[in-house]
């Protein structure tokens, strides 16, 4: 029993000694931890002065965590204490938090690299307006295209009036048809005047019936039947004391004719288009002189493509004149060939030849012309060498000079012209055309007073007349409200077999104006200016007529839907000039009346 008690005391003593060592060791470790924490705290305070306040707080938090870990370790040591051998806790180092070095971005100043690359910039400036220029182009007859939506309306009107110099005026126009398959027009006019000079009177009457009739979709037939009468009396005789019978002085010309044409509207599958025509005319006067004329033409065009085309025209003009003393045959045949080629949008060429048979003479005439448009400009240069015949007949000569005597001969005038110039437009309304050329006229008819009393004009032949010709045109138009067109022709004669080119005007200027001032008021005017022609006086000396200015002005005003008033002033300046020697024109003449429309 005693022995067992001694063993128990020994075990208790060992247990107590072991716990005392553990407590001593823990106390010693705690002192060291506290000392280490104080040192760390001082170091952290020193670093906190250099760092931010946030970092210091983080260090204190970390230190507290280390202390907590130590306490936990101590507690764990107490729980897990092994009686076999003492527990020892060794702390090798204290946790020292630190911040990572921040990365910094450094900027280096440097000059930019020069780029030598050049970019090609193209600017396209659109048109600033929607107006289209009016380009001078040759007139070509084309078939009327009738819009199916448009309703054709026939017009009929009668115009009547009366004025000074006992001048009645009557005019009418009638149209019939549907405007698509057939169309017939009738036109008639009559006027007369009587001046203050004895036998100074004239009259004029015209009647035309024309029509266009569609045969099928591609062909149409057009025709015309006409009659024209011009009556005047030979009042320009000297001395004026001569006595004549009125029938002896009567100069009356009548013309009856018919013409027909067969036209293909559009080229066929082979690119061919054609328009053959036939014109028959009989012209006669009161002195038993008459002339029969037949004119036939067959023009054909072959279109190869948009740039190339060929024109061929065969023509025959046959004239047979007869009076109480003689017969004259005057025939002209020619073949006009030309090739039209468009190099590009700016250059156009026309190259051709025209063999002609003038009665018994055979001639070869040139037909060469060129046009070049300045790029991006509405300015066109033009040049050419052309030749053509002017058919002279009793009818054409009497139209040019109504005081002509019966012709003793009939010849055709061969014209050759070399020219150059320009044309184009400025703006959207103004157009111009100007040429300068050298002109040669062979067998040109001239006119001089007869050597009895001067009332008739006899015809002379000029075999070779040469001149420098200057021609110009200007035009200005604004839709259908305003239009003005003026032209001038100047001849500077350089060669003439006769003393002077008698009867030919050396300078002529013409102009016409149409102006819609208001909705119901229209104004029109005509201007004629020319230099006087040369003539042969009674003493056989060459004289020159005075220059002349003739201005006509007219107006028309609507007073009712179908009724208009019109007023016309002829020779407004009252200039009593002479176009032909010894024949003075009428002075100021005022005519007025009404126009009634059946539409």
């Amino acid at each position: 029993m005693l022995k067992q008690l001694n063993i128990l005391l020994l075990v208790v003593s060992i247990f107590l000694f072991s716990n005392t060592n553990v407590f001593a060791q823990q106390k010693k470790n705690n002192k060291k931890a506290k000392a280490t924490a104080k040192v760390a705290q001082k170091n952290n305070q020193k670093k906190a002065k250099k760092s931010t306040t946030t970092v210091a707080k983080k260090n204190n938090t970390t230190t507290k965590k280390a202390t907590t870990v130590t306490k936990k370790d101590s507690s764990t040591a107490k729980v897990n204490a092994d009686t076999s051998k003492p527990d020892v806790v060794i702390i090798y180092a204290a946790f020292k938090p630190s911040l990572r070095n921040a990365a910094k971005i450094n900027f280096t100043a440097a000059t930019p690299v020069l780029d030598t690359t050049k970019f090609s910039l193209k600017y396209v400036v659109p048109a600033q307006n929607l107006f289209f220029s009016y380009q001078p182009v040759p007139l070509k007859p084309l078939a009327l295209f009738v819009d199916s939506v448009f309703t054709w309306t026939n017009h009929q009107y009668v115009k009547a009036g009366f004025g000074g110099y006992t001048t009645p005026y009557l005019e009418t126009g009638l149209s019939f048809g549907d405007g698509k398959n057939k169309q017939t027009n009738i036109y008639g006019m009559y006027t007369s005047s009587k001046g203050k000079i004895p036998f100074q009177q004239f009259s004029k009457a015209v009647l035309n019936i024309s029509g266009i009739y569609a045969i099928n979709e591609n062909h149409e037939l057009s025709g015309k039947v006409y009659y024209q009468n011009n009556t005047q009396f030979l009042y320009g005789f000297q001395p004026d004391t001569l006595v004549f019978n009125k029938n002896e002085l009567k100069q009356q010309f009548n013309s009856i004719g018919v013409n027909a044409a067969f036209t293909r509207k559009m080229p066929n599958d082979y690119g061919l288009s054609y328009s053959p025509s036939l014109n028959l005319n009989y012209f006669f006067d009161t002195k038993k002189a008459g002339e029969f004329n037949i004119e036939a033409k067959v023009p054909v065009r072959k279109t190869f493509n948009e740039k190339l085309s060929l024109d061929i025209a065969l023509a025959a003009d046959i004239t047979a004149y007869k009076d109480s003393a003689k017969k004259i045959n005057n025939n002209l045949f020619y073949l006009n060939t030309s090739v039209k080629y468009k190099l590009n949008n700016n250059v156009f060429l026309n190259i051709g030849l025209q063999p002609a048979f003038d009665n018994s003479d055979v001639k070869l005439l040139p037909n060469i012309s060129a046009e070049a448009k300045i790029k991006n400009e509405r300015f066109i240069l033009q040049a050419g060498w052309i030749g053509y015949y002017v058919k002279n007949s009793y009818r054409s000569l009497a139209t040019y000079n109504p005081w002509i005597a019966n012709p003793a001969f009939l010849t055709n005038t061969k014209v050759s012209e070399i020219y150059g110039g320009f044309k184009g437009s400025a703006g959207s309304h103004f157009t111009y055309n100007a040429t300068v050329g050298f002109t040669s006229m062979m067998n040109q008819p001239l006119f001089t007073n007869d050597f009895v009393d001067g009332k008739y004009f006899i015809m002379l032949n000029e075999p070779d007349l040469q001149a420098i010709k200057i021609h110009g045109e200007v035009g200005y138009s604004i839709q259908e409200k305003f239009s003005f067109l003026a032209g001038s022709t100047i001849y500077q004669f350089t060669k003439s077999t006769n003393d002077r080119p008698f009867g030919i005007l050396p300078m002529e200027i013409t102009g016409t104006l149409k102006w819609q001032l208001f909705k119901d008021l229209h104004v029109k005017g005509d201007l004629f200016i020319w230099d006087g022609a040369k003539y042969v006086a009674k003493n056989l000396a060459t004289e020159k007529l005075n220059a002349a200015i003739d201005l006509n002005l007219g107006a028309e005003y609507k007073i009712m839907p179908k009724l208009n008033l019109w007023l016309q002033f002829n020779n407004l300046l009252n200039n009593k000039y002479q176009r032909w020697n010894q024949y003075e024109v009428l002075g100021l003449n005022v005519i007025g009346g009404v126009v009634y429309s059946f539409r």
Side-chain angles (χ1 to χ4, degrees), residues 537-555:
K538 274 193 170 184
N539 58 1
L540 302 182
T542 299
E543 302 290 343
K544 179 178 176 294
L545 294 173
N546 295 328
I549 299 178
D550 193 335
L551 177 62
N552 302 329
L553 186 64

Side-chain angles (χ1 to χ4, degrees), residues 417-481:
E417 183 176 352
I418 301 174
Y419 69 92
F422 57 88
K423 62 181 179 180
S425 61
S428 303
H429 308 283
F430 182 75
T431 61
Y432 53 87
N433 183 11
T435 58
V436 177
F438 177 77
T439 302
S440 174
M441 294 170 281
M442 299 181 63
N443 297 324
Q444 172 67 30
L446 306 178
F447 300 92
T448 61
N449 299 84
D450 64 63
F451 299 103
V452 179
D453 50 25
K455 63 178 181 294
Y456 281 110
F457 279 84
I458 58 176
M459 187 176 65
L460 304 177
N461 183 55
E462 173 57 55
D464 188 11
L465 180 62
Q466 298 180 4
I468 297 175
K469 179 181 177 182
I470 303 175
H471 179 74
E473 296 177 1
V474 294
Y476 188 87
S477 61
I478 303 177
Q479 299 175 351
E480 297 181 356
K481 297 182 179 180

Side-chain angles (χ1 to χ4, degrees), residues 20-85:
T20 303
N21 291 336
V22 170
F23 292 148
Q25 186 66 32
Q26 287 180 351
K27 187 176 182 180
K28 185 178 180 179
N29 291 339
N30 289 336
K31 290 181 179 181
K32 290 182 179 181
K34 291 180 180 181
T36 303
K38 289 181 179 181
V39 173
Q41 185 176 2
K42 290 180 180 181
N43 292 335
N44 289 338
Q45 290 177 355
K46 292 180 180 181
K47 291 180 179 181
K49 293 179 181 181
K50 297 180 181 181
S51 180
T52 59
T53 306
T54 305
V55 176
K57 289 181 181 181
K58 287 183 181 181
N59 290 338
N60 292 332
T61 303
T62 303
T63 305
K64 290 179 181 181
K65 287 181 182 180
T67 306
T68 304
V69 171
T70 305
K71 289 181 180 181
K72 286 183 180 181
D73 292 341
S74 301
S75 299
T76 302
K78 289 180 180 181
V79 175
N80 297 330
D82 191 1
T83 59
S84 62
K85 51 169 131 171

Side-chain angles (χ1 to χ4, degrees), residues 58-164:
K58 287 183 181 181
N59 290 338
N60 292 332
T61 303
T62 303
T63 305
K64 290 179 181 181
K65 287 181 182 180
T67 306
T68 304
V69 171
T70 305
K71 289 181 180 181
K72 286 183 180 181
D73 292 341
S74 301
S75 299
T76 302
K78 289 180 180 181
V79 175
N80 297 330
D82 191 1
T83 59
S84 62
K85 51 169 131 171
D87 294 331
V88 179
V89 178
I90 300 174
I91 299 175
Y92 294 98
F95 175 73
K96 296 180 180 181
S98 62
L99 292 177
R100 211 173 151 186
N101 294 331
K104 295 183 179 180
I105 301 175
N106 295 326
F107 296 94
T108 303
T111 58
V113 180
L114 295 178
D115 188 0
T116 58
T117 305
K118 294 183 179 180
F119 296 94
S120 179
L121 302 178
K122 296 182 180 180
Y123 298 92
V124 178
V125 181
Q128 301 301 315
N129 53 62
L130 296 178
F131 295 100
F132 298 94
S133 62
Y134 297 91
Q135 300 289 343
V137 297
L139 297 178
K140 298 180 180 179
L142 297 175
L144 174 64
F145 176 77
V146 180
D147 192 349
S148 58
V149 180
F150 175 75
T151 302
W152 179 266
T153 304
N154 291 312
H155 295 175
Q156 296 87 25
Y157 74 93
V158 174
K159 183 177 182 180
F162 191 83

